[in-house]
Amino acid sequence: LKIKIDVEIENLDQLFLELPSHENLPKLSILELAGVATLLHNFYNGIENIIKQILFSKGEQLPSSGSWHRDLLNLAESHKVISKNLKLKLVEYLAFRHFFTHAYVLDLYPERMEPLVENASEIYELFKKEIDIFRC
């Protein structure tokens, strides 16, 4: 489990080296915004990958319903993998993930992405702190 989590953490750390500052988003082209959106999507997917590995290691059956992404967060909270506070913050990234998966790139607006980019680092640090027990 530790190795699997560490690989995901390493990938997420690399992602943050590429994520621009939220102040720069209005200056970006649509192509560059698409890249930022992809990084935000990857950020949430990396978090989900870690949560899935932890729950799997605990012998938990992973959700498979139509809303399995939301169910996964609820399961992670109920099994004390993440706190309710963190879950509420991650729901915003889940919503963006859903939007990004189903929208056109032309529907990306910097002002909607700014809070996600601005808060991603803080949420990531909180996430790492909460799942640190599973990395031992």
Side-chain angles (χ1 to χ4, degrees):
L1 177 63
K2 180 188 180 328
I3 292 170
K4 290 176 181 178
I5 291 174
D6 286 347
V7 166
E8 291 291 343
I9 294 292
E10 187 176 311
N11 288 334
L12 287 167
D13 288 346
Q14 281 297 123
L15 180 147
F16 276 94
L17 295 176
E18 300 299 327
L19 193 64
S21 167
H22 69 281
E23 292 104 355
N24 291 332
L25 293 184
K27 302 172 196 164
L28 300 180
S29 70
I30 192 68
L31 187 57
E32 291 166 323
L33 279 177
V36 173
T38 301
L39 291 172
L40 288 171
H41 185 271
N42 288 165
F43 167 63
Y44 185 76
N45 283 346
I47 298 261
E48 269 193 353
N49 289 342
I50 292 170
I51 288 172
K52 288 188 286 189
Q53 289 298 326
I54 292 170
L55 290 171
F56 184 74
S57 76
K58 293 175 136 222
E60 291 302 320
Q61 175 118 12
L62 298 180
S64 59
S65 69
S67 60
W68 75 266
H69 294 279
R70 185 171 300 277
D71 294 343
L72 184 70
L73 284 181
N74 290 332
L75 190 62
E77 179 198 359
S78 70
H79 287 279
K80 309 285 188 236
V81 174
I82 60 171
S83 66
K84 182 175 185 166
N85 176 51
L86 179 56
K87 182 188 92 170
L88 293 174
K89 292 174 190 274
L90 289 172
V91 165
E92 295 177 47
Y93 293 86
L94 170 59
F96 182 80
R97 182 209 163 279
H98 180 79
F99 166 79
F100 179 71
T101 302
H102 299 286
Y104 285 97
V105 167
L106 298 173
D107 293 328
L108 295 173
Y109 297 100
E111 60 274 6
R112 293 185 185 163
M113 295 169 57
E114 281 177 5
L116 296 172
V117 172
E118 181 178 14
N119 297 324
S121 182
E122 176 186 323
I123 291 169
Y124 179 49
E125 290 306 315
L126 179 60
F127 178 75
K128 287 194 296 187
K129 184 185 283 186
E130 290 192 13
I131 59 111
D132 196 46
I133 190 170
F134 301 103
R135 294 177 74 187
C136 298

